[in-house]
């Protein structure tokens, strides 16, 4: 391998439209031990594959979360959802029951385990590839990783006992998917992005059943866009939950929280 391959790599990444070419070059060089391996990874990135798929991991809440090709990449803004879930889970200590739906790689669940230690955790996703990935990030001793549609795979033992129900459901309106960056719309599974005509189809199903699973004083949290937040608040309040929004302008994050009496 050349003494310093970074300048050439940075030039190739910039030409491919990578905004943070210098940072990406550093990560790619650090991840490889041979020139052929490095060339293969750079070529994959230049072709448009998400950096996280090329590296095999994404940084989330200070953790390295394993991600595989074809699996949704956890977003930086979703750290706000994780942060709020952690804060609410702490209110329920020492015994905490947490469910994560639409878990993808299990990033939020892993952040909860790292922050809180032992808890009763169930996470689920409908995509088999995401479930395989999540099982690499959540050990059997830390929680159950289940495959199925929303609440369907959850054990009956958690019904009515969930302190924190955290959901990162797809919320991109169908017509807006074609405007997303190519690395998302081409390399991430469409069901992880497509939220239906207004982006809220999956979240309507989540909200409709949430009260059956929440414990007294339990909380439902999910991510949405700023433009969808008013309708999302209405949906939550319609189900008898106390609804509020947490927004983080720096990360462009909007989190809707519904709390059970």
């Amino acid at each position: 391998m050349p003494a310093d391959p970074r300048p050439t790599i940075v030039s190739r990444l910039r030409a491919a439209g990578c905004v943070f070419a210098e940072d990406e070059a550093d990560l790619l060089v650090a991840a490889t031990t041979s020139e052929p391996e490095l060339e293969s990874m750079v070529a994959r990135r230049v072709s448009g594959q998400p950096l996280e798929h090329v590296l095999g991991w994404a940084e989330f809440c200070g953790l390295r979360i394993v991600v595989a090709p074809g699996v949704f990449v956890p977003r930086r803004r979703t750290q706000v959802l994780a942060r709020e879930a952690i804060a609410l889970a702490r209110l329920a200590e020492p015994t905490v029951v947490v469910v994560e739906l639409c878990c993808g790689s299990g990033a939020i669940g892993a952040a909860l385990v790292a922050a809180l230690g032992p808890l009763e955790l169930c996470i689920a996703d409908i995509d088999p590839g995401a479930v395989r990935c999540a099982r690499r990030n959540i050990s059997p001793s830390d929680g159950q990783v289940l495959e199925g549609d929303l609440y369907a795979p959850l054990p009956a033992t958690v019904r009515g006992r969930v302190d924190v129900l955290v959901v990162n459901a797809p919320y991109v309106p169908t017509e807006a998917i074609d405007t997303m960056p190519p690395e998302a719309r081409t390399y991430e599974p469409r069901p992880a992005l497509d939220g239906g005509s207004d982006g809220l189809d999956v979240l309507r199903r989540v909200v409709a059943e949430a009260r059956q699973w929440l414990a007294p004083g339990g909380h439902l949290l999910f991510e949405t866009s700023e433009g969808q937040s008013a309708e999302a608040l209405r949906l939550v309040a319609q189900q008898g939950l106390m609804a509020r929004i947490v927004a983080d302008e720096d990360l462009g994050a909007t989190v809707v929280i519904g709390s059970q009496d």
Side-chain angles (χ1 to χ4, degrees):
M1 188 180 293
D4 188 2
R6 289 175 179 80
T8 300
I9 295 172
V10 168
S11 296
R12 291 174 65 186
L13 293 174
R14 282 179 178 162
C18 298
V19 177
F20 302 104
E22 291 84 357
D23 294 338
E24 292 194 13
D26 289 342
L27 289 168
L28 290 166
V29 170
T32 57
T33 57
S34 69
E35 188 171 354
E37 183 185 16
L38 178 60
E39 171 56 31
S40 174
M41 294 179 74
V42 172
R44 289 173 61 195
R45 180 60 180 137
V46 168
S47 74
Q49 292 186 39
L51 176 67
E52 294 82 0
H53 286 171
V54 175
L55 294 173
W57 58 269
E59 183 176 353
F60 187 85
C61 292
L63 305 173
R64 281 195 176 188
I65 301 298
V66 174
V67 291
V71 174
F72 182 80
V73 175
R75 308 305 200 240
R76 288 185 66 245
R77 64 176 173 269
T78 305
Q79 294 177 115
V80 178
L81 180 59
R83 181 188 72 199
E84 295 300 318
I86 290 166
L88 290 172
R90 284 198 169 113
L91 298 177
E93 289 181 322
T95 302
V96 187
V97 179
V98 175
V99 166
E100 180 190 359
L101 301 182
C102 305
C103 70
S105 61
I108 296 174
L112 281 155
V113 170
L116 301 172
L119 68 157
E120 189 173 344
L121 174 68
C122 295
I123 74 173
D125 200 286
I126 197 171
D127 177 35
V131 170
R132 287 193 297 271
C133 201
R135 285 176 176 153
R136 298 177 65 185
N137 292 309
I138 304 290
S139 70
S141 62
D142 288 331
Q144 297 183 67
V145 181
L146 308 166
E147 182 181 335
D149 185 29
L150 298 182
Y151 300 98
L154 298 181
T157 53
V158 300
R159 185 185 291 268
R161 297 179 52 240
V162 179
D163 298 302
V164 173
L165 172 57
V166 57
V167 187
N168 190 20
Y171 60 87
V172 180
T174 302
E175 291 186 356
I177 290 176
D178 287 342
T179 68
M180 296 182 72
E183 61 186 40
R185 67 174 188 263
T186 302
Y187 293 100
E188 293 183 319
R190 189 179 181 95
L193 306 173
D194 193 344
S197 60
D198 67 351
L200 296 174
D201 282 1
V202 180
L203 287 169
R204 286 188 179 89
R205 294 175 56 211
V206 168
V207 173
E209 292 190 46
R211 292 196 68 175
Q212 301 174 34
W213 295 89
L214 290 175
H219 309 276
L220 164 68
L221 304 88
F222 58 85
E223 182 177 290
T224 188
S225 71
E226 182 181 2
Q228 295 164 321
S229 60
E231 175 62 9
L233 275 178
R234 188 190 70 79
L235 292 171
V236 171
Q238 191 177 51
Q239 294 299 321
L241 299 172
M242 295 180 290
R244 62 187 176 95
I245 287 177
V246 174
D248 186 311
E249 292 184 3
D250 292 337
L251 291 177
T254 301
V255 174
V256 176
I257 300 175
S259 300
Q260 179 103 286
D261 291 336

